[in-house]
Amino acid sequence: MTPESGLPSEFELIARYFAPLSRGFPGAYGLLDDAAVISAAAGSELVVKTDAIVEGVDFLPDVPAELVARKALRVNLSDMAAKGATARAYLLDLLLPSSVTESWVASFAAGLARDQAEYGVHLIGGDTSSTAGPIVAAVSLFGEVPIGRILRRGAARAEDTIYVTGTIGDAALGLAASRGQLPGLDAAHATYLLDRHRLPQPRTALGPRLLGLATASIDISDGLIADLRHLCEVSGLSAIVQARSVALSAAARAVIADQPRHLLTAITGGDDYEILFTAPPGLESRIAELSRSSQIPITAIGQVTATAPQERPQVTVLDEHGRALAIVAEGWTHFGRRPRIETTAY
Ligand code: ADP
Ligand code: MG
């Protein structure tokens, strides 16, 4: 750290707060070496993923450190789950401005400890540095999957059914509520939606069980429609979504009953951290059974279709009258135009 910072030295921080999180993973060498060792079990291969979360972009500056840590880990766990992989270990790159206190780091580490216990992963290394900018927490996650079985975005087939886990749009509506854009919303509903924004629930119990069922899979982080488009583009296919089939929480339904245009907030907003996957017709009862035994809702929302010759893959969302909704901005993007939602149907 810089000498002006009120924090102990990086070595003290590592020894005090991070080394304990490596216990139980021999290849981490107690965070006392330059690098760590990790291998996949026989018959499996490593799956790797990194995602950084940035203060002011991915989390609001007043969010408690414990929640920042857990979100940093969980957004990566969500990607791992969508690939059918099981997470094992992670690296943490932490960039801290001088305004950060030791109690912030202690709370951050406590958040990691809590989620390590919940998800069965260990911290095996990283980097700690100072910055003149906002807090950045970058997690690189390592998981494993049976060799050659990783669930890809690009393997959807025409006629596949499109499924989503959980409910869609809660986090985006939670963010709208926190900005005062949903006046009149019941307090319990507002709390539910905001919690969905602050702390994603990655579908780690489900992801590996999609192997052998799903053809293609993606985690929904940019928004349902944007991520479905990502899957379609790599698969070279199009999709039709029935808006009325999209699974919504009671809180989201209450918002939309009051202001129908927020259906578009729900299906284009980001931060769901649910899994969108495709599967061929005929697997409905196995998927229903998976939903029952994992206690995770899985809902069919539409169908993959062939793309017309000479056309780019299209994602069409139909309302209850079978009319296509016009969606200008399909989801979150970091650079370029800010997300903007316009529709002719509402
Ligand atoms: P180097 O001098 O080689 O860059 P460091 O002094 O940065 O190594 O780190 C020493 C050890 O502590 C390494 O094992 C590194 O992986 C680990 N480490 C540093 N920062 C973190 C962190 N934020 N989380 C977990 N491990 C860390
Ligand atoms: Mg070194």
Side-chain angles (χ1 to χ4, degrees):
M1 299 305 299
T2 55
E4 313 85 62
S5 171
L7 285 174
S9 78
E10 69 193 80
F11 304 108
E12 286 170 85
L13 287 178
I14 294 164
R16 211 173 287 166
Y17 298 107
F18 299 129
L21 299 174
S22 72
R23 268 184 220 132
F25 199 98
Y29 306 120
L31 305 190
L32 293 169
D33 213 317
D34 296 308
V37 167
I38 175 167
S39 53
S44 291
E45 56 191 347
L46 288 178
V47 179
V48 303
K49 161 69 200 175
T50 189
D51 225 320
I53 67 168
V54 180
E55 180 182 20
V57 178
D58 303 288
F59 64 93
L60 303 172
D62 61 350
V63 170
E66 179 168 343
L67 283 179
V68 175
R70 296 169 77 195
K71 186 162 182 183
L73 197 48
R74 288 176 180 220
V75 297
N76 284 282
L77 288 163
S78 176
D79 282 302
M80 204 51 79
K83 298 303 97 184
T86 303
R88 296 285 181 231
Y90 65 101
L91 302 170
L92 170 67
D93 289 340
L94 201 51
L95 304 186
L96 301 175
S98 56
S99 54
V100 165
T101 61
E102 183 170 354
S103 74
W104 190 94
V105 178
S107 158
F108 186 90
L112 292 178
R114 195 164 158 188
D115 272 4
Q116 285 196 187
E118 182 158 350
Y119 294 102
V121 295
H122 287 90
L123 179 61
I124 61 167
D127 193 28
T128 307
S129 189
S130 55
T131 175
I135 298 168
V136 177
V139 166
S140 300
L141 184 63
F142 300 80
E144 55 187 49
V145 73
I147 293 171
R149 301 282 306 283
I150 186 171
L151 295 173
R152 306 280 315 274
R153 290 182 179 186
R157 292 187 298 232
E159 314 304 328
D160 279 355
T161 304
I162 302 166
Y163 294 91
V164 292
T165 62
T167 56
I168 297 300
D170 296 325
L173 293 172
L175 191 61
S178 75
R179 291 175 174 156
Q181 293 164 357
L182 304 178
L185 179 64
D186 174 282
H189 282 153
T191 302
Y192 173 84
L193 294 173
L194 196 56
D195 283 350
R196 290 271 288 160
H197 182 260
R198 283 150 62 107
L199 195 61
Q201 306 292 328
R203 300 304 188 180
T204 54
L206 190 78
R209 299 183 64 193
L210 292 175
L211 298 177
L213 287 176
T215 45
S217 170
I218 186 170
D219 103 299
I220 308 176
S221 53
D222 293 338
L224 170 69
I225 302 305
D227 285 312
L228 175 56
R229 172 177 292 281
H230 296 150
L231 181 145
C232 284
E233 281 179 347
V234 198
S235 295
L237 294 167
S238 292
I240 294 176
V241 171
Q242 308 291 340
R244 68 170 182 281
S245 303
V246 173
L248 299 171
S249 65
R253 282 200 303 273
V255 172
I256 292 164
D258 190 43
Q259 294 184 62
R261 69 187 174 86
H262 280 308
L263 172 63
L264 286 161
T265 310
I267 65 176
T268 62
D271 276 341
D272 288 311
Y273 301 105
E274 296 292 349
I275 298 177
L276 182 153
F277 67 94
T278 57
L283 294 182
E284 291 79 6
S285 61
R286 284 180 63 194
I287 289 168
E289 172 50 32
L290 177 60
S291 173
R292 256 193 307 279
S293 62
S294 62
Q295 296 188 307
I296 295 173
I298 302 178
T299 312
I301 63 162
Q303 204 184 33
V304 180
T305 59
T307 298
Q310 321 295 335
E311 291 229 329
R312 290 194 55 209
Q314 302 277 342
V315 175
T316 307
V317 184
L318 300 179
D319 70 9
E320 66 271 34
H321 309 295
R323 292 181 307 197
L325 303 187
I327 299 172
V328 173
E330 296 178 338
W332 173 258
T333 154
H334 276 289
F335 302 106
R337 187 157 48 76
R338 296 278 303 177
R340 191 159 59 92
I341 294 165
E342 278 175 12
T343 171
T344 53
Y346 288 96

